[in-house]
Amino acid sequence: MALPVLSSSAVKFRRVLAHFPQELSLAFAYGSGVFRQAGASAEHGETNMLDFVFAVDDAVTWHMTNLVKNRSHYSFLKFFGPKKISTIQRYGAGIYYNTLVPCNDRVIKYGVISTDALIEDLFHWKTLYVAGRLQKPVKILAQNENSRLQAALVSNLKSAVTAAFLMLPESFSEEDLYMQIAGLSYSGDFRMIIGEDKSKVQNIVKPNVAHFQKLYSTILQDCPQVVYKHQLGRLEASIDKSPEGQFTQLMALPKTLQQKITALVNPPGKNRDVEEILLQVAHDPDCGFLVHQGISGIVRSSSLVQSAKTILTAG
């Protein structure tokens, strides 16, 4: 299942893409400049910075070409050349941002990530940085035929639903589910404590429920624990909260999250395997809280390193 590519409504975004090297495995636009958020006027969306992510197979070659085309986009790091830029890109969340770039009478920010690093994050939630962006509605502008990348994009959405089920009560509304999913990548992010709007998740979900439905409808229709009445826009869920049900869901979580959860409950010096520890967690009344703590641990470390990197990349 490929994520839906937009047609006519994406013309202004594709005009931006025309300024960059075209060797992209995936390109998408996201954020408040693309999707309206609650409390913001339509005019605000037309003036907001536009945010993009470009996934590239060969970061060194891509930056080399982009330095020729768009040298002014880079900070002082341009003097160190594409290899050094690509090395810095690999730190933290594996993404290199050029920000506050004037383009087509708008201001844009764009991040460059290697296709391999993106696939790793989507499958295993190594940093949950770009994977977290892709758990929310985005405008896909370009996507090649990389079947492994397409499988990773779907896997990331399924993992988001599984993690949300573990943290939600037995019964919940469709909006509750999307709120939980949208909040995954903000768990543990220090920017939500310093500077970000505390109601950010609610502001993302409420005006964009239809976009979340489009993103998750296929996965929810295939989920035996959910009755998804798409025509009515309503979801009826009854999640199996038995230890057996929770164990099945824990075993389906991405590898990095499983490791974070086991580290929370496994005493130092004990050499128990992941399956044994997750079985213990499945019996724990605080199972959902432990999942949340595990996600927070992933996001906290990647957001701190990525923000520190911005000092270099934004100059």
Side-chain angles (χ1 to χ4, degrees):
M1 183 188 86
L3 299 189
V5 177
L6 290 146
S7 51
S8 57
S9 62
V11 169
K12 67 178 175 183
F13 302 111
R14 291 222 177 87
R15 284 198 190 118
V16 171
L17 276 196
H19 290 267
F20 297 95
Q22 294 303 294
E23 295 74 23
L24 302 169
S25 59
L26 181 71
F28 64 88
Y30 67 94
S32 57
V34 183
F35 294 98
R36 192 174 71 81
Q37 295 190 3
S41 65
E43 295 79 20
H44 186 62
E46 288 300 313
T47 57
N48 269 12
M49 182 161 64
L50 294 174
D51 298 301
F52 297 87
V53 167
F54 304 147
V56 301
D57 289 344
D58 183 341
V60 175
T61 301
W62 196 93
H63 284 297
M64 183 169 64
T65 309
N66 199 43
L67 280 163
V68 173
K69 289 172 73 84
N70 299 304
R71 192 170 178 81
S72 63
H73 294 183
Y74 291 82
S75 69
F76 68 92
L77 291 173
K78 59 177 166 274
F79 298 112
F80 294 93
K83 282 188 178 176
K84 180 59 72 176
I85 287 168
S86 298
T87 300
I88 290 166
Q89 178 179 307
R90 287 196 291 270
Y91 287 102
I95 188 164
Y96 184 102
Y97 272 104
N98 283 328
T99 189
L100 297 175
V101 173
C103 184
N104 295 354
D105 301 320
R106 293 290 292 267
V107 175
I108 72 165
K109 173 178 80 178
Y110 64 94
V112 183
I113 186 169
S114 80
T115 307
D116 287 344
L118 175 58
I119 289 171
E120 172 84 2
D121 197 29
L122 291 167
F123 272 130
H124 304 305
W125 288 8
K126 189 176 177 184
T127 69
L128 247 181
Y129 200 86
V130 181
R133 300 268 183 274
L134 285 160
Q135 289 162 359
K136 297 178 272 290
V138 301
K139 281 189 174 15
I140 302 286
L141 307 174
Q143 185 177 346
N144 69 10
E145 294 301 310
N146 184 329
S147 59
R148 192 158 171 265
L149 175 57
Q150 290 183 8
L153 288 163
V154 177
S155 174
N156 179 46
L157 299 180
K158 288 180 177 176
S159 295
V161 170
T162 302
F165 282 175
L166 282 159
M167 291 188 286
L168 285 162
E170 192 174 350
S171 299
F172 49 84
S173 71
E174 186 172 13
E175 193 172 292
D176 290 338
L177 174 63
Y178 299 145
M179 291 277 284
Q180 192 70 252
I181 289 171
L184 293 175
S185 61
Y186 295 116
S187 306
D189 190 337
F190 76 98
R191 291 171 301 175
M192 293 301 283
I193 303 165
I194 306 165
E196 287 279 11
D197 184 351
K198 303 297 185 296
S199 58
K200 188 178 181 75
V201 173
Q202 187 174 319
N203 292 346
I204 289 169
V205 173
K206 281 193 175 294
N208 295 299
V209 168
H211 293 298
F212 276 92
Q213 286 174 332
K214 188 175 181 183
L215 193 57
Y216 285 97
S217 61
T218 302
I219 288 164
L220 293 174
Q221 282 163 6
D222 291 341
C223 180
Q225 301 184 72
V226 170
V227 178
Y228 191 57
K229 300 184 176 176
H230 189 60
Q231 293 80 4
L232 302 173
R234 196 167 76 238
L235 172 149
E236 292 177 5
S238 182
I239 303 305
D240 183 359
K241 289 290 178 180
S242 71
E244 295 79 9
Q246 295 196 137
F247 178 65
T248 301
Q249 290 170 348
L250 287 164
M251 289 300 292
L253 290 174
K255 182 175 68 178
T256 308
L257 179 52
Q258 289 181 341
Q259 290 167 347
K260 288 284 183 184
I261 294 167
T262 57
L264 288 168
V265 297
N266 197 32
K270 282 250 187 179
N271 266 337
R272 296 190 297 162
D273 63 31
V274 170
E275 193 169 335
E276 184 187 345
I277 298 160
L278 292 180
L279 186 58
Q280 176 191 326
V281 172
H283 284 79
D284 194 321
D286 290 330
C287 174
F289 177 70
L290 290 167
V291 173
H292 180 267
Q293 289 294 95
I295 293 168
S296 295
I298 296 169
V299 174
R300 189 179 301 112
S301 54
S302 65
S303 67
L304 278 167
V305 177
Q306 193 62 39
S307 295
K309 225 166 75 171
T310 304
I311 297 166
L312 294 174
T313 60

